[in-house]
Amino acid sequence: MILPIVAYGDPVLRKVASEISKDYPNLKELIANMKQTMYNANGVGLAAPQIGKSIRVFVIDASPFAEDSELSTQEKEQLKNFNKVFINPIILEEEGEEWAFSEGCLSIPDIREDIYRQESVRFEYFDENFNKHSDTLNGLAARVFQHEYDHLEGILFTDNISSLKKRILKKKLEKISQGKINANYRMRFPNLKNK
């Protein structure tokens, strides 16, 4: 089922999400719905807070980035196969030089900004069957992971831009929270009763 994506301004996007256990109700169905919702919106990642659930779960399918001709063969290979579910992830270490990349977010349509992130991330997580894993990602894969992980911490990519850019974007962000946006997917707006 395609779910509405929560828009900028909704308090759920600012909460630190809670861990879940393997007996979380209808988890498989929730994950399937999150993937369907992400694909419907042409996204590469979707965190549970973006569908109104303050739990530590996100899905990623970064394979569309594998088409980028500027990437190394190794990075293309990593992205091509990067389709995973992350439950209760914990970042153990972020390292490497910070680099900029134009990020966007399904909860903040029509806004893209250069965001600086470290190039490597090491973490632990549970998969959809509650098997524990440790992994390290680099480059674009690390960035997608870091972006979705931020959602679980109540952080949006717009928090990582300069105060000048925040002032410039203020009106645009207000319009998004009021539903004055034409996204090509279902959204739920905090300042409207039903949409």
Side-chain angles (χ1 to χ4, degrees):
M1 179 188 351
I2 295 168
L3 305 168
I5 293 174
V6 172
Y8 176 88
D10 192 304
V12 74
L13 295 175
R14 293 305 190 174
K15 286 183 185 170
V16 175
S18 303
E19 288 194 353
I20 63 167
S21 63
K22 63 180 165 194
D23 55 357
Y24 186 83
N26 304 315
L27 182 59
K28 295 258 190 249
E29 183 184 347
L30 174 70
I31 290 166
N33 290 344
M34 286 177 67
K35 284 185 174 184
Q36 194 176 358
T37 301
M38 175 183 70
Y39 292 132
N40 179 66
N42 295 314
V44 294
L46 185 70
Q50 293 181 274
I51 55 157
K53 298 208 174 287
S54 189
I55 57 172
R56 299 187 77 79
V57 177
F58 58 81
V59 296
I60 290 176
D61 182 353
S63 58
F65 285 132
E67 308 301 315
D68 189 334
S69 60
E70 294 180 25
L71 298 175
S72 69
T73 306
Q74 182 183 356
E75 198 166 11
K76 283 182 186 181
E77 211 49 46
Q78 184 181 38
L79 290 166
K80 189 168 69 176
N81 301 310
F82 189 26
N83 185 342
K84 292 185 178 180
V85 175
F86 298 89
I87 299 172
N88 301 335
I90 298 169
I91 289 182
L92 303 173
E93 185 177 27
E94 292 173 292
E95 59 184 10
E97 204 169 306
E98 287 195 343
W99 60 289
F101 186 82
S102 179
E103 290 188 23
C105 179
L106 296 176
S107 292
I108 312 174
D110 292 344
I111 293 180
R112 296 193 68 81
E113 288 294 329
D114 278 351
I115 304 299
Y116 284 85
R117 297 190 188 271
Q118 288 180 280
E119 58 188 293
S120 178
V121 62
R122 189 167 59 86
F123 56 92
E124 294 177 345
Y125 70 100
F126 293 91
D127 64 22
E128 61 270 34
N129 299 311
F130 261 84
N131 296 314
K132 191 172 185 179
H133 301 271
S134 295
D135 206 351
T136 300
L137 295 170
N138 300 298
L140 218 39
R143 176 174 294 276
V144 176
F145 178 91
Q146 290 162 317
H147 178 107
E148 297 309 326
Y149 186 89
D150 278 356
H151 276 299
L152 306 185
E153 296 296 314
I155 299 167
L156 299 173
F157 84 95
T158 50
D159 297 341
N160 298 317
I161 60 176
S162 71
S163 50
L164 173 64
K165 284 203 173 159
K166 282 181 191 167
R167 283 199 300 276
I168 292 168
L169 291 174
K170 188 173 189 231
K171 287 269 186 254
K172 243 182 166 179
L173 292 169
E174 284 173 7
K175 283 183 176 181
I176 291 169
S177 71
Q178 295 163 357
K180 297 176 182 172
I181 187 85
N182 287 324
N184 61 353
Y185 47 87
R186 282 180 66 202
M187 293 195 77
R188 188 180 92 202
F189 301 95
N191 296 330
L192 297 176
K193 291 283 182 242
N194 287 316
K195 179 101 182 192

